Amino acid sequence: MELSDLRAFARIADLMSVSAAARALGLPKSGVSRALARLERDVGVLLVDRSTRHLRLTDAGAHFRPHALRILADVDEAGAALDGLGAVPAGSLTISLPFTIATALVAPMLPAFMARYPQVRIVLAVENRFIDMPADPVDLMIRVGPLVDSDLIARRLLVSETWLCVSPDYLAARGTPLRAADLSDHHLIGYHDRATVYLDGPADDAGRIELAPAIAISDAAALLPVVLAGAGIAPLPDFLARSLVADGRLVRLRPTIAREHSVIHAVYPSHRSLSAKVRVFIDALAASVSHLELGE
C-alpha cells in the first residue's frame, strides 16, 4: 500500500471527483485513476463506485476513509517533527486565507519573510471556505471572526475594529451624518452576509439600525474601491482604512458609530507538531501586524 495512493484516495473521497483530485494534487488524471485502482487492488475491495454519473464512496470506502486520513496525518506529523529539528525552515507552505487578509496583511510582509527564509515556498490559497484538516492539503489557515469548535489550535493575531468610512467627495455632495439615525438618508454599502450596523453612541442615539445597502459585497478589499470612488458609506476594518483616513482619502465618521470588533486567528491542527516553516511564518505575521492592534 503506497502513501501516494492513499493521498489520491483521500482527495477523491473529499472532492468526489477524480479530475478535481488530480488538480488538487497537481497530477495527471490518469495517474490518480491508476493510484485508486492500485489501492483497491491492495485492499481487495472497491472503495469508490464509478458506475454512476457521479462518484460515491462504497460502504467499504466510507469505512476506510478515516483510517486513511489517520495514516496520512501520522506521516505528516512525523515529517513535521523532523522539520522542526532542522536549522533552516524549508519546503512548501500552503496557507488558506480570505482575500482582504491576503492583500492587506500577508502580502506586505512576504518580501521580508522570503528574504529571511528563502527555502520556504509560499502558496496562498485565497478563499474563505470550510477547510477539513488534515484532509485538505493546507498547512495553515487564517480566519476572521468566531471559530467553530474543533480540535484545531488557534493563535490570535489581531483584534480589528470596524470603522464607518466615506470619501470626502461623497460628504461634499451629500452632507455629513451627525447622528446614527441620519444614516438612513445616505447611500450605504455593506456585506452580503451582514445587513445590520451596531451602534455604540450616546443614550439618545444608541441601538441598532437596519441597513439596506445599495451595494453588497462579500469582501472588504473589494468593497474599498467602491467607497473611495464616492459611492457611499461603508464599514471597513481599521487595518484597511487607517492609512487612507490618515492621508485624507477617506473620512472616518463619528467613532461611536459601528464599533464592532473581529478577531483574526492563525489556525493549524492540534495533533501535529508545529513545523519550523509554520512556526516562523506565524511569528513573522504576528510581529508584522502587532502595531495594528486597535490602533487609533
Side-chain angles (χ1 to χ4, degrees):
M1 188 183 302
E2 299 291 333
L3 284 175
S4 58
D5 297 345
L6 282 176
R7 292 194 187 279
F9 166 69
R11 297 307 291 151
I12 293 171
D14 180 42
L15 300 172
M16 281 295 103
S17 165
V18 174
S19 298
R23 288 193 296 270
L25 293 168
L27 297 172
K29 179 181 177 181
S30 58
V32 174
S33 295
R34 286 195 298 270
L36 175 60
R38 192 163 49 239
L39 178 63
E40 289 177 328
R41 184 173 63 250
D42 289 342
V43 298
V45 293
L46 187 70
L47 300 173
V48 178
D49 183 0
R50 308 154 182 75
S51 63
T52 58
R53 185 170 183 176
H54 300 287
L55 300 185
R56 70 173 185 85
L57 292 180
T58 63
D59 290 343
H63 181 74
F64 182 69
R65 181 174 183 264
H67 297 282
L69 294 178
R70 191 175 304 116
I71 292 169
L72 293 172
D74 287 343
V75 171
D76 289 343
E77 182 178 357
L82 293 176
D83 185 22
L85 295 175
V88 180
S92 181
L93 175 61
T94 301
I95 306 161
S96 169
L97 71 175
F99 181 67
T100 293
I101 302 301
T103 55
L105 299 182
V106 173
M109 54 82 66
L110 284 182
F113 179 85
M114 298 307 297
R116 185 173 182 182
Y117 303 106
Q119 295 187 46
V120 177
R121 175 178 178 265
I122 299 293
V123 178
L124 297 184
V126 181
E127 57 194 357
N128 201 23
R129 66 182 179 88
F130 172 78
I131 298 294
D132 180 14
M133 289 182 164
D136 282 272
V138 170
D139 300 294
L140 177 68
M141 296 189 301
I142 301 175
R143 291 293 182 261
V144 181
L147 299 173
V148 298
D149 290 336
S150 70
D151 61 353
L152 302 177
I153 293 178
R155 175 174 169 183
R156 197 193 78 166
L157 296 172
L158 178 67
V159 178
S160 171
E161 183 177 72
T162 298
W163 289 5
L164 208 57
C165 296
V166 64
S167 73
D169 289 343
Y170 177 91
L171 294 181
R174 298 292 304 270
T176 301
L178 301 177
R179 293 165 48 87
D182 295 340
L183 291 174
S184 60
D185 297 324
H186 287 265
H187 293 158
L188 300 171
I189 305 170
Y191 300 101
H192 75 88
D193 60 347
R194 194 187 324 163
T196 302
V197 168
Y198 294 92
L199 308 177
D200 184 21
D204 63 347
D205 199 25
R208 174 187 294 189
I209 65 169
E210 293 291 330
L211 297 184
I215 302 174
I217 301 176
S218 63
D219 194 279
L223 183 152
L224 180 59
V226 182
V227 183
L228 288 169
I233 300 169
L236 294 171
D238 55 358
F239 61 80
L240 196 62
R242 183 177 290 107
S243 62
L244 297 169
V245 171
D247 67 16
R249 295 179 64 194
L250 286 179
V251 175
R252 181 187 180 189
L253 294 182
R254 210 181 63 193
T256 53
I257 295 178
R259 293 182 72 92
E260 294 181 335
H261 300 95
S262 297
V263 183
I264 302 170
H265 289 98
V267 184
Y268 55 92
S270 61
H271 65 271
R272 295 182 191 169
S273 301
L274 188 58
S275 66
K277 62 187 178 183
V278 174
R279 174 177 49 78
V280 296
F281 183 86
I282 294 176
D283 288 345
L285 180 56
S288 175
V289 303
S290 60
H291 69 287
L292 301 175
E293 187 76 63
L294 292 178
E296 289 296 334

